[in-house]
Amino acid sequence: MNTKSMAMGLLMVLTLTNVSLAQQTNSTMNSGSTSKVGNESMSAFDNQNKKGAAAVSAVAATPAKLSTADQDLMMQVAKGGMMQLEVSRLAVQSATNDQVKALAQAEVEEQTGLSAKLQEIASAKGVTLPTSPDAETQAVLTKLQSTSGMAFDRLYLTESGVKGHEKLDAVMSMVQSKATDPSMKNLAKAAHPLVKTHLKVARQIMTAM
């Protein structure tokens, strides 16, 4: 075999090796059963979600009227939660990465429970919560609907996984420190740990992609 033939053969081997490694990486991130979500094992992630849901469900709704400041905080929680719920419902259907899909499903379950409890508290206090997504949420949904594949997964992680949870993290901290209503403070205390968990996991998935 001459030098030129040997060089061509080596180039083909290197090319095939690189393709194989890329396929293995994509397979690890995008196919098969999900054993991890970010750096969390699936079982640990599930347990944290169940614990968070139970804590939110246990919050008691008191009939005491809300101050104007507390009503504003309630609306911020409702707005942030609705955005997370709507975009995550879309991600459950459209995400291609198994870990992204698992995070989106957990987010749908979290925000469904949080929304139900917030509505229970609002009803007890005679407060009407928004029933449809606001302009900001619609804009994010429109952006997501115009993408697909890995671009969709990255956009969802950016808009919901990171930015959305950073906003909710800040709102929950504000409710815990500034709200005077016990129901609102207890709800924020119950929901905040899972908000932090989902934010952490979203960042971990983004780093690995």
Side-chain angles (χ1 to χ4, degrees):
M1 182 179 292
N2 59 36
T3 302
K4 184 176 181 180
S5 297
M6 290 176 65
M8 288 295 292
L10 180 59
L11 180 61
M12 289 181 65
V13 170
L14 289 172
T15 300
L16 290 172
T17 300
N18 287 336
V19 170
S20 177
L21 287 172
Q23 290 173 338
Q24 289 176 29
T25 300
N26 289 337
S27 176
T28 300
M29 289 298 295
N30 293 306
S31 64
S33 60
T34 303
S35 60
K36 297 188 74 175
V37 183
N39 296 338
E40 300 280 338
S41 69
M42 194 68 218
S43 59
F45 185 62
D46 281 343
N47 286 337
Q48 290 178 70
N49 287 308
K50 290 175 182 176
K51 183 179 178 181
V56 168
S57 179
V59 174
T62 60
K65 298 298 181 183
L66 292 178
S67 66
T68 300
D70 281 1
Q71 283 193 48
D72 180 64
L73 289 171
M74 176 180 276
M75 291 303 169
Q76 289 186 51
V77 174
K79 176 184 173 182
M82 182 173 288
M83 188 188 103
Q84 294 294 86
L85 179 58
E86 293 300 321
V87 299
S88 295
R89 280 173 173 165
L90 179 60
V92 169
Q93 300 299 320
S94 302
T96 57
N97 180 288
D98 282 344
Q99 294 191 31
V100 175
K101 194 179 287 286
L103 176 61
Q105 182 59 51
E107 190 66 22
V108 168
E109 292 169 5
E110 176 199 12
Q111 294 303 331
T112 298
L114 180 59
S115 175
K117 180 56 67 173
L118 194 64
Q119 182 60 62
E120 181 185 333
I121 294 171
S123 295
K125 298 174 182 301
V127 176
T128 302
L129 296 178
T131 57
S132 59
D134 62 8
E136 183 182 357
T137 299
Q138 281 297 155
V140 174
L141 285 169
T142 299
K143 284 171 64 177
L144 284 165
Q145 288 164 347
S146 67
T147 63
S148 61
M150 185 173 286
F152 177 95
D153 295 345
R154 287 184 179 278
L155 184 59
Y156 170 73
L157 287 173
T158 299
E159 295 295 337
S160 173
V162 177
K163 290 181 182 178
H165 280 100
E166 285 176 344
K167 289 180 181 178
L168 274 180
D169 183 23
V171 170
M172 292 301 180
S173 293
M174 197 179 304
V175 174
Q176 285 179 266
S177 64
K178 295 187 176 182
T180 57
D181 181 77
S183 294
M184 288 298 298
K185 291 180 81 73
N186 290 337
L187 181 63
K189 182 180 179 180
H192 205 175
L194 195 54
V195 170
K196 288 180 175 293
T197 294
H198 285 187
L199 174 58
K200 177 184 69 175
V201 168
R203 286 171 172 161
Q204 291 168 349
I205 297 173
M206 283 191 73
T207 299
M209 288 180 70

